[in-house]
Structure formats: structure tokens, C-alpha cells
Amino acid sequence: MGYETVLLDASSVQHRETIWDYTLRLAVQHGAYVTAIHQGAPEIGHSGDPGQLDVYSERRETELVHKFEALARRYAGVRYEWRSDEGDRVERVARHGLYADLIVMGQFDPSDRGGLGTYEDPVEIALMSGRPVLVLPRSDRFAHIASRVILAWNDSPQAARMVSAALPFLVNATTVDVVIVKEDVTPGLDAKVQSADGHEIKSYLARHHVNASVTTVPAGVLEVSEVLLSMVADKAADLLCMGVYGHPKLRQVAVGQTSAALMRRMMVPTFVVC
């Protein structure tokens, strides 16, 4: 089982083509169908006669469709469709995401569309849709897709769901490193020692033909998010996978501290599952 349908939130303004290109390359890798969802309202910053709003919106939508189609033509065989929808971004993406195997979106950018949305939107969307969300950071184009993967493991239901949802990535990865952050481990211990309590997750992955290493990292005085970001850098990872906490009715207030921090400071594409 793989990612047969990928939903792309195509509404970002900043880093638009980078996000689109990554999604199309991912679709090629998995033979997936791409559904691109764009917010139909005109981009913030447009000024002029309100009577021309509909004309501007239609013209702008046509331009974006042509750009997306031109980009898609670079990848032979990619199947896709473009949809325009209106309304709250989180609710809109989550609703369409019900019919996708994976949702792809860009990291929140305060300069994007006048700062609409929040850093925690991906967590809310994962909660409301029940689907994994792949968040692409504000950075340059990533040459590889899920080649060197880090899994954040903590024996929780969220982490278990994350591992299952990430399997299509994991079976094709060059390396998979399971990282267990121990907040109660003595800081003086070697941060690279093999973890005894990671045996079960390593065995589980092996039965799915994923050869993973398991590392226990003592947090010491660091936050869990800081440890994970450090491991991403040390391993030169190009994908971080984690289970996240939250509550769909309370939204931002209930998003876990580690999840919220990583949504702000992510260095590589980050795969989140609730």
C-alpha cells in the first residue's frame, strides 16, 4: 500500500513553485494522483475597483493553473487535477484531505498572504482529516525525497500511527534512524548509544522490510524539539517523522509543545500524524 492520492495545498504564495515541484516529484516516486487545492479568493494585496474583483480572481486562477500545468508537464505520466475552493484554510484542506492518502503543504510564512494561518495549521489539519500531513519548510528545493529519514519514537499511539502512515516512505529510504529522546536519562551518557527499549519498534519495521537503526538520546537540559533538530542535522536527514498531539476543538492551545516548536523551526520536510 502506498500513497495513491496526494492532496496539495496549492494556496501558498511564497515558495509556491518549490512546494509544487516537490509534490509532483513525490507523485512520480509513488505513482500517485495529485489533487491541487487552491483558495479561490484573490490574493491579499490586490487593490482596485471592487466590481473587478471577480474578473481579477478568475484571471489569477487561470494564470496559476497554467503555471501548475507547465510544471507538471516536466514529469511525464503525472496525473493531476486542479480544484478551486473557498473558506477557512484548515477546514477546506481537511475536508478534501479525507479523500487523500497524504496531504502536502508549506510551512506557515508570516509574509505569505498577509500572514493568514498559523504554524500549527498542519497539526489541526492532521487532527481533522485523520490523514498524515507532510509540511515543507521555507527553504531551497530538496534534491531528495525521504532518502534519509528520522523517526521520533516515544511508545505512544500517535507515534505508532505515524510509523504505519510513513511506511511507503520508509520502505524506499536509504537510511532510517529511530530516535528515542529520554528526558530522564543522565546527561553525561553517550547520546549515540543503542537503545535497548527500541527493540520492538526495530523488529516491527524489519517485518515491513525496513532496516532501521535505533538511537537513544538523553535530552538533558534541552527541549525534545532541540534534540530532534540536532539529530536531523547530524544525520543529514531529509525527512523527519513524528506523531503529534492536539485537540481539534481547542486548536492552537492544545497543540503539544514539541509539535508546536518543530512547526516553527523545521529544517527539513516534516511528516506529522495525530
Side-chain angles (χ1 to χ4, degrees):
M1 182 177 178
Y3 302 127
E4 299 296 336
T5 301
V6 174
L7 178 72
L8 165 64
D9 176 15
S11 297
S12 296
V13 177
Q14 302 292 340
H15 316 288
R16 172 185 286 144
E17 291 199 12
T18 299
I19 297 170
W20 292 2
D21 182 75
Y22 187 101
T23 305
L24 291 167
R25 289 189 290 125
L26 187 156
V28 170
Q29 186 181 88
H30 292 269
Y33 184 91
V34 177
T35 301
I37 300 296
H38 180 257
Q39 189 154 358
E43 295 170 10
I44 290 177
H46 170 67
S47 60
D49 185 350
Q52 298 179 355
L53 202 59
D54 290 341
V55 175
Y56 171 85
S57 181
E58 183 177 348
R59 183 188 308 122
R60 185 59 178 151
E61 190 79 15
T62 300
E63 291 174 356
L64 291 174
V65 171
H66 289 166
K67 285 184 178 181
F68 185 80
E69 290 177 340
L71 188 60
R73 283 195 293 270
R74 299 179 188 176
Y75 302 99
V78 171
R79 299 165 298 146
Y80 64 88
E81 66 176 290
W82 180 279
R83 297 179 183 174
S84 179
D85 200 359
E86 298 181 3
D88 178 81
R89 180 196 190 196
V90 170
E91 295 178 357
R92 171 175 49 83
V93 175
R95 182 175 68 253
H96 288 280
L98 294 171
Y99 309 100
D101 300 306
L102 176 67
I103 300 170
V104 182
M105 62 189 302
Q107 180 188 22
F108 171 67
D109 188 336
S111 66
D112 198 352
R113 296 180 61 84
L116 291 179
T118 70
Y119 284 103
E120 289 76 22
D121 282 356
V123 179
E124 297 176 34
I125 290 170
L127 280 164
M128 294 174 67
S129 67
R131 301 300 189 185
V133 177
L134 180 61
V135 192
L136 306 182
R138 302 188 302 270
S139 61
D140 294 332
R141 181 179 187 270
F142 286 90
H144 302 287
I145 296 176
S147 175
R148 302 178 64 86
V149 182
I150 285 188
L151 296 180
W153 179 255
N154 63 356
D155 291 312
S156 69
Q158 290 84 357
R161 288 192 287 269
M162 172 272 293
V163 170
S164 293
L167 282 173
F169 281 137
L170 304 182
V171 296
N172 293 313
T174 302
T175 62
V176 176
D177 291 284
V178 178
V179 177
I180 303 172
V181 181
K182 290 289 189 179
E183 298 181 84
D184 55 350
V185 172
T186 304
L189 293 178
D190 183 0
K192 301 295 188 290
V193 297
Q194 292 298 307
S195 169
D197 59 2
H199 173 75
E200 290 289 349
I201 186 59
K202 183 174 182 178
S203 297
Y204 172 84
L205 290 169
R207 288 190 286 271
H208 285 277
H209 310 289
V210 177
N211 182 22
S213 65
V214 181
T215 301
T216 294
V217 183
V221 298
L222 299 177
E223 298 289 341
V224 174
S225 60
E226 294 175 316
V227 176
L228 291 174
L229 289 173
S230 176
M231 291 298 294
V232 165
D234 289 348
K235 299 289 186 178
D238 52 28
L239 180 67
L240 170 64
C241 300
M242 64 179 188
V244 297
Y245 301 87
H247 193 290
K249 293 183 179 179
L250 297 179
R251 291 202 164 188
Q252 300 176 50
V253 177
V255 174
Q257 179 180 355
T258 299
S259 305
L262 287 171
M263 289 298 97
R264 286 170 169 78
R265 301 177 55 202
M266 65 174 62
M267 302 161 56
V268 297
T270 301
F271 182 92
V272 299
V273 176
C274 293

